[in-house]
Amino acid sequence: SRTMKVDARAAVERRKRQGAPAQAAQAKRARAATTADDASSAPEPKSAAEGDALEVNVRAFAQRLASNKKSERDTSIAALGQWLRAQEKSSGLSDIELLKLWKGLFYCLWMADKIPVQEELAANLAELLTSFRRSSSSLRFFRAFCLTMHREWPGLDRLRLDKFYTLIRKMISVVLRMCKEKPERLEAAGSILRDEILDKLPNGLRFHIADLFLDELQTSGWVEDGTVPTELMAELLSPFYCTLGTAKDNTYVERVIKCVFAPLAKDKWTNLEGEEYDAPFANLDLAPIAKALFSLGADQKDMPKRF
């Protein structure tokens, strides 16, 4: 995987020229070519009997993970991590099987009561990303999560939103942390986030990711001495550059500008209590970001309306 210097205008033009089939092929290549440690494709679905066994396992894990007893929850999350490692080591889980697994985990959190249990469960589910040895397996697990959240989001009622907001925040934090450990994962992770969530409605889901992105970038260890290396920051922001150039919803574009790009230029941030504090990105080199946004704006006839 290569480290990409973002040229926002070129990225948008390239996506327009390539069209939908080429874009899908590019996303597939990015997911497959995550690291040199695994060049194999996703495993084929198992037999009907094995599929039934998977559903039984998922149901059993989901029931125990939502238990009111902490000892049972702790044992279950450890057992699930071990089971995922064993599956990866043997035949692996197909994309369809990962979606079935995430459907079970989604409804496990859906049924979880009490805020401390919900927060603990959300954190544990996100940490499952670290159960895999190969980066490609972790990223396929992340993609199944994104697809599940996008599919299930319209059915969430307001009483359950907070627990899933927490799950998304924890998941983005773990993904950023894993990319910090191996920056070569950035391109594939960014492509998944862009293709499966940021480039699609509903707005609520992608609004939330725009809202939390800079906070989680900071807490996941990317920011040192008020900055992030220029090339890596370009890669981190790449999903938002691309979606700015293609999104047709101006409210979403305004949200990305407000929550992702505008805070980078501020010397002070304000917390929930209204108190100011030093901006965590105070020493960031803004010139490449400004140049990319200017290039993007120059290429979009309706961009002035958005700003």
Side-chain angles (χ1 to χ4, degrees):
S1 178
R2 58 193 175 82
T3 301
M4 181 180 67
K5 293 184 178 179
V6 171
D7 183 332
R9 182 175 182 177
V12 172
E13 290 178 348
R14 184 167 60 252
R15 293 184 73 196
K16 288 179 178 178
R17 288 197 305 270
Q18 290 172 335
Q23 180 182 344
Q26 183 183 17
K28 183 177 180 180
R29 288 195 300 272
R31 290 193 296 268
T34 54
T35 59
D37 65 351
D38 180 44
S40 61
S41 59
E44 294 296 325
K46 298 177 177 61
S47 66
E50 290 173 319
D52 291 341
L54 172 70
E55 292 185 11
V56 170
N57 279 327
V58 170
R59 195 178 305 116
F61 280 127
Q63 290 173 349
R64 293 196 295 268
L65 285 169
S67 170
N68 289 325
K69 297 181 180 179
K70 179 172 172 53
S71 59
E72 187 170 353
R73 296 196 305 271
D74 291 345
T75 301
S76 298
I77 198 68
L80 180 53
Q82 293 172 358
W83 182 77
L84 288 173
R85 284 189 290 274
Q87 292 294 314
E88 181 190 33
K89 190 175 181 181
S90 57
S91 57
L93 293 172
S94 70
D95 290 340
I96 293 176
E97 289 165 339
L98 285 171
L99 287 172
K100 288 182 178 180
L101 173 61
W102 261 113
K103 184 174 184 178
L105 297 178
F106 177 92
Y107 283 103
C108 170
L109 183 58
W110 176 288
M111 298 300 294
D113 293 325
K114 301 179 182 178
I115 292 177
V117 174
Q118 295 166 4
E119 291 180 346
E120 179 192 78
L121 179 56
N124 286 336
L125 293 180
E127 286 295 334
L128 289 173
L129 274 170
T130 64
S131 300
F132 302 96
R133 183 182 65 84
R134 295 189 292 269
S135 293
S136 59
S137 299
S138 297
L139 289 166
R140 287 178 56 240
F141 189 75
F142 176 55
R143 180 173 180 269
F145 162 78
C146 291
L147 288 168
T148 300
M149 292 307 304
H150 183 266
R151 184 188 67 237
E152 302 292 344
W153 193 263
L156 286 175
D157 57 68
R158 62 181 183 84
L159 296 176
R160 290 183 169 90
L161 270 178
D162 283 349
K163 65 173 82 174
F164 287 99
Y165 279 152
T166 300
L167 174 61
I168 293 166
R169 178 179 290 274
K170 298 293 185 183
M171 185 65 70
I172 296 298
S173 179
V174 173
V175 169
L176 288 171
R177 194 179 74 219
M178 292 176 63
C179 289
K180 178 68 168 61
E181 295 169 359
K182 290 187 177 182
E184 62 268 24
R185 294 168 170 159
L186 267 175
E187 184 179 359
S191 294
I192 292 169
L193 189 63
R194 181 195 68 214
D195 295 342
E196 308 305 347
I197 292 182
L198 297 181
D199 274 1
K200 300 177 180 180
L201 294 171
N203 272 339
L205 181 54
R206 55 184 183 173
F207 275 16
H208 183 54
I209 291 176
D211 291 347
L212 64 82
F213 187 78
L214 291 185
D215 286 339
E216 297 310 313
L217 188 61
Q218 179 189 358
T219 58
S220 58
W222 275 96
V223 184
E224 296 179 2
D225 298 323
T227 190
V228 177
T230 301
E231 291 185 0
L232 292 176
M233 192 63 179
E235 190 73 72
L236 286 161
L237 295 175
S238 178
F240 296 101
Y241 282 125
C242 291
T243 198
L244 277 181
T246 57
K248 297 179 180 180
D249 190 315
N250 284 347
T251 58
Y252 171 61
V253 172
E254 290 167 2
R255 189 68 161 250
V256 171
I257 294 293
K258 176 183 177 182
C259 297
V260 178
F261 290 103
L264 298 176
K266 295 181 179 180
D267 294 326
K268 298 287 184 180
W269 284 14
T270 305
N271 61 23
L272 295 176
E273 288 73 33
E275 301 169 338
E276 288 191 342
Y277 62 97
D278 291 337
F281 298 93
N283 298 323
L284 185 67
D285 183 6
L286 296 176
I289 297 173
K291 182 179 179 180
L293 288 174
F294 180 81
S295 175
L296 182 62
D299 189 53
Q300 302 296 312
K301 293 180 180 179
D302 62 339
M303 189 61 75
K305 300 177 184 177
R306 295 176 171 182
F307 286 87

